[in-house]
Amino acid sequence: MQEFIELLKKDKKQIIGLMSGTSVDGIDAAIVEITGHGLETEVDLIAFETFPFPTGVPQRILALCHSDTGRVDDICEMNFYIGYLFAEAVKHILQKSGMRANDIDLIGSHGQTIHHLPKDTNTDHNVSRYPSTLQIGEPAVIAHETGIPTIADFRVADMAAGGQGAPLVSYPDYLLFRDSEKTVGLLNIGGIANLTVLPANGTIDTVCAADTGPGNMCIDAVVSEITEGAEHYDKDGARAALGTSHESLINEWLKHPFFQLSPPKTTGREMFGHTYAMECLADCREHNLSDNDCIATLTELTVQTIADYIERFITGQNPIDILYVSGGGVHNQTIMQRLSERLSDTSVEPVDNSGISADAKEAIAFAILANETLHGNAGNLPSATGASVRKVLGKFVCP
């Protein structure tokens, strides 16, 4: 623990944040200089890269996410293998930025979620089970391979306290984006879309956050299916722009129990993964929709679920003045245009306009959470996750 004790003496630290999301498209690595902690936190992004997984690895990870293909021996092996890949991402970004391992004080790793079973999701698979979550990417491997102290496995402490384990970026959002005059929304559109709302001049207890439903996950799955694997996502939303969405299908899909739940709530691949996407595609086929119409309809589902959530749970109390968008969805111009049209009283912008990189934002968040954990500061927000208390998050591993 001496490494962590020595770090407490430093006001300014170089921290690497590592993140791999539900889209399973690679490892995001951000080198961040963090000054202070808590409400005094200041960040400066030094370098950012996304490192695609080696060929075949996304398929192996996705196989772990399903109860019928997730073998315990594969989970055991992949936990360590993903740890090695995360360590390789650290080494690569250090090389690209001209830095060395001994220039870095700490690593904060989210890991790769392979299963997430939050409470009160009203789904058959969670009946009579303890709420739980599992991220792989062994931090002991990361720390040993890089020689850098590592903090990881952030979600479990929140869930132990009765929370949903997500969204955890809400606390970093509050530290970086709170505004005395404007209500700010932070929308991350990854595989799943999640939203943090920071009321104008609000305290940490006024933060509201939740997952709104599928982000890119279903769109990506259908694009891959339609193109027989030749394409893995709808680049720039071009296919959706060429299609026409089917309103009655969307209205039917909106009856899903998750969309009826009040926040805080969270979801994942277990609910809106490949099986759900293929059911939606089958619905589209039954209605004789073209390929681009299918993609347009699923894209509109993402837009509708985000906008409906805001209109039902946010606008009446805290109308959002500015909505900053991050994640892969920020590059989907059809999503961005439709959000602007649906949320006509809100300025919808890429979070880059705030000075924070849209692609790097979540990796930066886990660098911040690692810094907060180092200083003994709680990193969850009960108003966002439903936990009974605030908790210091993560597990420490020395090199």
Side-chain angles (χ1 to χ4, degrees):
M1 294 299 293
Q2 188 62 33
E3 291 90 344
F4 293 101
I5 294 171
E6 290 300 317
L7 285 179
L8 284 172
K9 301 175 183 178
K10 301 182 69 172
D11 184 56
K12 185 174 292 186
K13 307 176 195 70
Q14 315 290 334
I15 302 178
I16 293 181
L18 298 173
M19 174 73 193
S20 179
T22 50
S23 293
V24 195
D25 50 5
I27 300 166
D28 292 338
I31 302 177
V32 186
E33 183 176 87
I34 299 182
T35 304
H37 60 92
L39 296 179
E40 305 304 317
T41 298
E42 297 180 6
V43 303
D44 183 21
L45 180 64
I46 297 173
F48 173 76
E49 293 283 344
T50 296
F51 300 95
F53 283 120
T55 302
V57 170
Q59 290 74 22
R60 294 178 67 186
I61 292 172
L62 292 175
L64 303 181
C65 299
H66 300 282
S67 57
D68 54 345
T69 55
R71 292 165 46 108
V72 66
D73 55 340
D74 291 335
I75 293 171
C76 185
E77 179 184 23
M78 287 294 284
N79 179 41
F80 271 62
Y81 179 45
I82 298 301
Y84 284 112
L85 293 180
F86 272 55
E88 286 300 306
V90 170
K91 294 174 185 178
H92 285 313
I93 195 169
L94 288 174
Q95 183 180 30
K96 286 193 172 186
S97 61
M99 300 178 72
R100 298 170 298 173
N102 59 10
D103 295 323
I104 304 300
D105 296 302
L106 186 64
I107 292 171
S109 175
H110 170 270
Q112 174 66 62
T113 299
I114 61 170
H115 219 67
H116 187 63
L117 298 173
K119 66 177 182 178
D120 299 329
T121 52
N122 293 339
T123 56
D124 292 340
H125 71 263
N126 202 27
V127 174
S128 300
R129 295 190 182 188
Y130 290 104
S132 54
T133 190
L134 183 60
Q135 285 73 43
I136 61 173
E138 179 54 51
V141 172
I142 299 172
H144 175 75
E145 289 293 315
T146 63
I148 302 170
T150 299
I151 299 176
D153 214 7
F154 291 92
R155 298 193 182 276
V156 294
D158 180 81
M159 293 196 76
Q164 303 244 344
L168 291 186
V169 297
S170 301
Y171 178 56
D173 283 346
Y174 179 76
L175 297 182
L176 296 181
F177 295 97
R178 65 190 188 278
D179 192 289
S180 60
E181 298 179 354
K182 295 180 179 179
T183 293
V184 179
L186 286 307
L187 174 65
N188 185 76
I189 309 177
I192 296 295
N194 62 72
L195 174 69
T196 300
V197 179
L198 311 174
N201 201 33
T203 67
I204 202 165
D205 296 324
T206 65
V207 177
C208 175
D211 289 346
T212 62
N216 305 312
M217 186 179 292
C218 296
I219 303 168
D220 293 351
V222 168
V223 169
S224 183
E225 181 73 16
I226 285 173
T227 65
E228 298 181 342
E231 300 173 29
H232 299 289
Y233 67 103
D234 183 17
K235 183 174 175 59
D236 299 327
R239 284 182 171 272
L242 294 173
T244 301
S245 61
H246 196 286
E247 184 176 356
S248 65
L249 260 185
I250 294 170
N251 290 336
E252 191 65 29
W253 294 341
L254 288 174
K255 296 177 183 177
H256 190 287
F258 178 79
F259 303 132
Q260 315 312 315
L261 295 176
S262 299
K265 59 180 179 176
T266 184
T267 188
R269 188 171 294 280
E270 300 73 29
M271 191 176 293
F272 294 112
H274 188 267
T275 298
Y276 178 82
M278 293 305 100
E279 290 171 354
C280 291
L281 179 58
D283 290 341
C284 290
R285 295 304 193 209
E286 286 183 10
H287 287 76
N288 298 314
L289 300 191
S290 70
D291 288 351
N292 287 340
D293 288 350
C294 293
I295 296 167
T297 304
L298 279 165
T299 300
E300 186 65 14
L301 176 67
T302 291
V303 172
Q304 292 276 17
T305 51
I306 293 168
D308 287 353
Y309 174 89
I310 291 172
E311 290 163 357
R312 289 177 61 199
F313 301 115
I314 305 300
T315 301
Q317 296 180 339
N318 293 294
I320 298 174
D321 296 303
I322 184 166
L323 181 67
Y324 286 128
V325 185
S326 61
V330 75
H331 303 297
N332 186 312
Q333 296 306 308
T334 301
I335 289 178
M336 294 296 286
Q337 179 180 337
R338 287 291 297 125
L339 282 173
S340 294
E341 292 169 354
R342 274 297 306 267
L343 305 171
S344 57
D345 294 330
T346 299
S347 177
V348 178
E349 304 179 17
V351 74
D352 303 76
N353 291 1
S354 74
I356 298 291
S357 164
D359 293 324
K361 179 177 174 289
E362 290 220 326
I364 292 171
F366 283 92
I368 293 172
L369 286 175
N371 187 57
E372 292 301 288
T373 298
L374 177 69
H375 287 276
N377 297 334
N380 67 329
L381 295 182
S383 62
T385 68
S388 58
V389 293
R390 296 200 67 198
K391 300 287 287 187
V392 177
L393 306 178
K395 300 173 183 176
F396 295 75
V397 180
C398 296

